[in-house]
Amino acid sequence: MPRVSQDHLDARRRQILDGARACFARHGYEGATVRRLEEATSLSRGAIFHHFRDKESLFLALAEDDALRMADVVAEQGLVQVMRDLLDEPEKRTEEHAADWLGTRLEVSRRLRTDPDFRARWAERSEQLTAATRQRLIRQREAGNLRDDVDVTVLTSFLELVLEGLVSHLAMGLPADDMEPVLDLVEETVRRHRRNS
Amino acid sequence: MPRVSQDHLDARRRQILDGARACFARHGYEGATVRRLEEATSLSRGAIFHHFRDKESLFLALAEDDALRMADVVAEQGLVQVMRDLLDEPEKRTEEHAADWLGTRLEVSRRLRTDPDFRARWAERSEQLTAATRQRLIRQREAGNLRDDVDVTVLTSFLELVLEGLVSHLAMGLPADDMEPVLDLVEETVRRHRRNS
């Protein structure tokens, strides 16, 4: 095997993750066979599993990758913006991968319910998102934008609970066209109290 | 077959629903075989399917029965109380069937995601709960307990979204011991604004 540069390895890893994300979203974890992963990534199984030990490791890397991306959006724009992005039509989404991201997230939710081993492996990773949400809220509080009569931990849990509800709502195929004012209410709930109306 | 009184029919129907609820919660929809339903209800398949056309009809009747019970709690105590009941330890629950109710609800969520026919049949039934929540909020607004700067429809959707998040959170086996102050915040959000702290 020829020696390859780190850049090349990173690009290859990215290629695998992007293909696998679409594949898991479309077929679910069990349905994403090695054959389908080969097609989705345009790579051989040898190339794929040179980068990831097995399918489980690939899925976890993907979910972690998504959580970090989401944490970036949270850090810059807040968790409510993440929720607004979920509601947008695909063509209006600020993040291109929102639909696939939702698919991965649903697979994570399903496996958390049914697979205790996965639950343990996921627990540590999900803390990154919580930490990012919390960090942003602390900065917002310092900037005077956040209400100061409720603990930041409680506000973080509140936002995560609403996000979880929204993911579940969308997963069930329920109508979401009336959700914008609900998210306005959620945003207002965590902000410093200013009545606008 | 001997003629039986309406009371007897009602009692038998109740016996079937109670047994089936535990059975679906324990084994899931697919896993609740006719054999297991017989064991759980202490009745023969003939007796069970005299009252319900098929397994699907039985499950829908059960989910509807739960939604109506929940609507009663909502009407009397509000949706936030339903959420608090979900968090309580089994021995502290005001409603005895809360754990089984959660099991049924999770099965409903799962089938809504995976079964479009079920989604259509469920849509009309789920409106009862929405209507009960909305009715209670309207009465609360008339009593001056509810904030009046946000539409009742928005407040209803907000509460339902948080409930969905809580159900999903519990289903994933995530820790819920820090949820009480979050529900306090949810309750405060829909009430007429009075700063207590």
Side-chain angles (χ1 to χ4, degrees), chain B residues 1-21:
Chain B
M1 190 178 283
R3 295 199 54 188
V4 288
S5 70
Q6 186 63 43
D7 278 1
H8 181 79
L9 283 175
D10 288 349
R12 186 52 57 94
R13 189 183 152 89
R14 168 71 31 218
Q15 178 184 358
I16 297 168
L17 287 175
D18 287 346
R21 180 179 288 107

Side-chain angles (χ1 to χ4, degrees), chain A residues 105-106 108-110 112-114 119 122 126 147-150 153-155 157-158 161-162 164-166 168-169 171-174 178-179 181-183 185-186 188-193 195 197, chain B residues 105-106 108-110 112-114 119 122 126 147-150 153-155 157-158 161-162 164-166 168-169 171-174 178-179 181-183 185-186 188-193 195 197:
Chain A
R105 171 126 193 158
L106 290 174
V108 169
S109 297
R110 195 185 63 75
L112 283 172
R113 278 196 291 275
T114 55
R119 194 184 297 165
W122 178 249
S126 72
R147 64 191 293 171
D148 52 15
D149 60 335
V150 175
T153 308
V154 174
L155 296 178
S157 298
F158 169 71
L161 198 62
V162 175
E164 198 52 61
L166 190 62
S168 182
H169 187 91
M172 290 189 281
L174 300 174
D178 57 347
M179 279 293 160
V182 177
L183 294 187
L185 178 62
V186 169
E188 189 227 74
T189 299
V190 300
R191 285 188 186 279
R192 176 182 287 279
H193 198 74
R195 282 289 162 98
S197 57
Chain B
R105 171 125 192 156
L106 290 174
V108 169
S109 297
R110 194 184 63 74
L112 283 172
R113 278 196 292 275
T114 55
R119 195 185 297 164
W122 178 249
S126 73
R147 62 191 294 172
D148 52 14
D149 60 335
V150 176
T153 308
V154 174
L155 295 177
S157 298
F158 169 71
L161 197 61
V162 175
E164 199 52 62
L166 190 62
S168 182
H169 187 92
M172 290 190 281
L174 300 174
D178 57 348
M179 279 293 159
V182 177
L183 293 188
L185 177 63
V186 169
E188 189 227 72
T189 299
V190 300
R191 283 187 188 279
R192 176 182 287 279
H193 199 74
R195 282 289 162 99
S197 56

Side-chain angles (χ1 to χ4, degrees), chain A residues 98-143:
Chain A
D100 288 345
W101 171 88
L102 181 60
T104 308
R105 171 126 193 158
L106 290 174
E107 271 301 294
V108 169
S109 297
R110 195 185 63 75
R111 299 193 66 205
L112 283 172
R113 278 196 291 275
T114 55
D115 183 343
D117 290 341
F118 179 77
R119 194 184 297 165
R121 292 187 68 178
W122 178 249
E124 41 199 284
R125 286 169 175 79
S126 72
E127 281 169 22
Q128 293 166 325
L129 180 58
T130 303
T133 304
R134 205 181 135 79
Q135 278 307 314
R136 175 177 161 87
L137 289 182
I138 287 170
R139 282 202 309 280
Q140 291 287 83
R141 176 167 286 177
E142 284 163 359

